[in-house]
């Protein structure tokens, strides 16, 4: 954590784990009431990235970056550039233990600015040899997660005719809504930004407010805004059979996973469903270079991962959250275990 000399803003990098490889996690540009809140957010999100990468079986660890934006308006122009350069210096100080990417409040042009100060940047524009905006890939993975959730509940992954509430129409939520509409789903959509109403009109979706969308009578709820949407107050009011969305940390607490089981609602662990972006970036880091067709296959494999998690949860009589965490923990433990000792007289490896 350091105060940038150009911008005067706090820049924070949290590295949770490098057991499976360098920590990878986006740079979040956000306003916080207090710098301690910003640090807590970075720490919490970096831990989530460790488990997200492990469940996806990626050779990366978990990290997160935060630029603490001043309250009172957007950060633009030279002030934004100064903050991004300061953040780049913070990354460079870690000698490759952390790689950054886009997150809430940042974009691929911002990654280009950060790359002026460090090479440990992913998600650069396609013309610069990167994979560009990861949000379409995140949306693709969430749509696949929705298909598997439907398969679990109704025996078929077909989305044609399913009613789905998408709460949050940002870059990921908007792309998801378009994909679901193209697949034949009937949509209820919501966002705090009234300007997103135009997308609802374009897709022929029903527009409502976020609180009403959470309680709408639909087949699937897709939370795509900020976290903690599922809590002791909202869960009893749910009228859906499945939940799968792009939002991080959807559960206000881990015990909410048990409440969803009691209500016979299939919840797809968020860090599994929304891993498409980080999976896409991992392809960018492979020795043979980035290829979108390879990325697509890897992102769609989220479906198979979820089937394994649902099967494990059912076999163990536990929640999908517990099964996903157990899978990640096994992979982290395997990566941190020392290599087996050579038998006496064996030739050196």
């Amino acid at each position: 954590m350091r105060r940038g000399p150009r911008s005067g803003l706090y820049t924070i990098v949290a590295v949770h784990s490098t057991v499976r490889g360098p920590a990878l996690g986006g740079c979040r540009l956000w306003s916080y009431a207090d710098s301690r809140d910003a640090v807590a957010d970075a720490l919490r999100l970096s831990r989530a990235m460790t488990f997200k990468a492990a469940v996806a079986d990626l050779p990366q660890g978990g990290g997160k970056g935060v630029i603490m934006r001043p309250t009172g308006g957007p950060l633009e122009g030279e002030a934004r550039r100064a903050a991004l350069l300061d953040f780049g210096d913070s990354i460079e100080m870690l000698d490759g233990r952390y790689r950054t990417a886009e997150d809430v409040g940042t974009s691929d042009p911002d990654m280009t600015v950060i790359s002026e100060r460090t090479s440990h940047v992913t998600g650069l524009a396609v013309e610069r040899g990167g994979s560009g905006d990861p949000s379409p890939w995140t949306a693709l993975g969430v749509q696949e997660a929705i298909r598997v959730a439907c398969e679990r509940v109704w025996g078929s992954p077909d989305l044609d005719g399913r009613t789905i509430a998408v709460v949050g129409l940002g870059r990921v939520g908007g792309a998801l809504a378009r994909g679901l509409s193209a697949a034949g789903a009937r949509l209820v959509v919501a966002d705090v930004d009234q300007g997103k109403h135009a997308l609802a009109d374009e897709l022929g979706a029903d527009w409502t407010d976020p609180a009403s969308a959470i309680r709408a009578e639909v087949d699937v709820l897709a939370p795509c805004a900020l976290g903690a949407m599922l809590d002791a107050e909202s869960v009893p009011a749910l009228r859906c059979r499945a939940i799968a969305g792009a939002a991080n940390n959807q559960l206000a607490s881990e015990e909410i996973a048990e409440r969803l089981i009691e209500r016979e609602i299939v919840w797809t662990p968020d860090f599994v469903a929304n891993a498409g972006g980080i999976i896409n970036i991992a392809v960018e880091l492979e020795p043979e270079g980035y290829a979108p067709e390879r990325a697509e296959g890897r992102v769609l494999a989220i479906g198979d991962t979820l089937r394994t998690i649902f099967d494990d949860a059912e076999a163990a009589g536990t929640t999908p959250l517990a099964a996903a965490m157990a899978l990640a923990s096994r992979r982290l433990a395997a990566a941190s275990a020392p290599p087996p000792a050579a038998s006496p007289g064996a030739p050196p490896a």
Side-chain angles (χ1 to χ4, degrees):
M1 180 176 180
R2 58 192 289 270
R3 190 183 289 274
R6 301 174 186 83
S7 65
L9 301 180
Y10 283 119
T11 63
I12 301 159
V13 178
V15 175
H16 180 264
S17 173
T18 56
V19 166
R20 292 177 60 88
L24 176 62
C27 169
R28 177 165 292 197
L29 180 59
W30 199 249
S31 293
Y32 297 87
D34 186 282
S35 60
R36 289 169 294 186
D37 294 337
V39 171
D41 203 24
L43 291 169
R44 177 176 54 84
L45 292 166
S46 69
R47 178 179 181 272
M49 290 300 295
T50 293
F51 286 94
K52 181 183 293 191
V55 168
D57 206 16
L58 301 177
Q60 268 89 45
K64 206 70 178 184
V66 167
I67 300 172
M68 189 174 169
R69 190 184 72 192
T71 58
L75 190 66
E76 297 176 335
E78 285 304 310
R80 185 184 189 92
R81 176 176 169 80
L84 294 168
L85 293 174
D86 286 338
F87 183 69
D89 288 340
S90 297
I91 296 170
E92 188 63 18
M93 292 170 66
L94 292 172
D95 297 324
R97 292 193 294 276
Y98 168 72
R99 293 166 171 164
T100 200
E102 292 179 42
D103 198 72
V104 175
T106 58
S107 62
D108 58 347
D110 293 329
M111 297 303 106
T112 300
V113 176
I114 293 170
S115 72
E116 294 179 27
R117 303 299 303 173
T118 181
S119 62
H120 305 296
V121 182
T122 62
L124 293 170
V126 174
E127 57 269 21
R128 289 179 55 87
S131 58
D133 180 6
S135 57
W137 299 100
T138 304
L140 178 64
V142 173
Q143 183 162 331
E144 184 65 11
I146 291 172
R147 292 180 68 255
V148 173
C150 289
E151 178 182 271
R152 202 74 186 179
V153 176
W154 293 286
S156 170
D158 191 2
L159 300 180
D160 189 20
R162 291 284 168 214
T163 55
I164 302 174
V166 181
V167 185
L169 295 175
R171 283 183 294 177
V172 175
L176 176 63
R178 292 182 189 278
L180 295 172
S181 178
R186 300 194 302 272
L187 300 181
V188 176
V189 299
D191 197 285
V192 294
D193 180 1
Q194 292 297 314
K196 304 295 186 182
H197 203 306
L199 179 59
D201 293 340
E202 175 190 334
L203 300 178
D206 293 333
W207 172 268
T208 188
D209 61 274
S212 298
I214 294 170
R215 294 162 172 79
E217 188 171 359
V218 294
D219 294 323
V220 183
L221 173 64
C224 296
L226 296 178
M229 179 179 290
L230 302 172
D231 57 22
E233 180 181 347
S234 64
V235 167
L238 294 173
R239 295 193 292 170
C240 60
R241 291 291 311 282
I243 302 173
N248 287 308
N249 302 304
Q250 293 168 19
L251 306 184
S253 63
E254 292 190 1
E255 63 93 20
I256 296 297
E258 295 282 356
R259 305 290 80 79
L260 292 168
I261 290 286
E262 292 169 4
R263 294 222 48 214
E264 299 184 343
I265 296 172
V266 171
W267 178 69
T268 300
D270 42 38
F271 59 94
V272 183
N274 65 16
I278 190 176
I279 292 171
N280 175 65
I281 286 172
V283 173
E284 180 181 328
L285 298 171
E286 291 175 354
E288 55 266 55
Y290 181 70
E293 60 277 6
R294 203 162 67 248
E296 181 176 4
R298 305 277 175 80
V299 171
L300 291 176
I302 285 174
D304 291 333
T305 301
L306 283 171
R307 291 183 181 97
T308 296
I309 288 168
F310 288 143
D311 287 344
D312 288 352
E314 183 175 346
T318 188
T319 66
L321 173 61
M325 294 291 283
L327 175 59
S329 296
R330 289 195 299 272
R331 288 175 172 169
L332 289 166
S336 59
S343 58

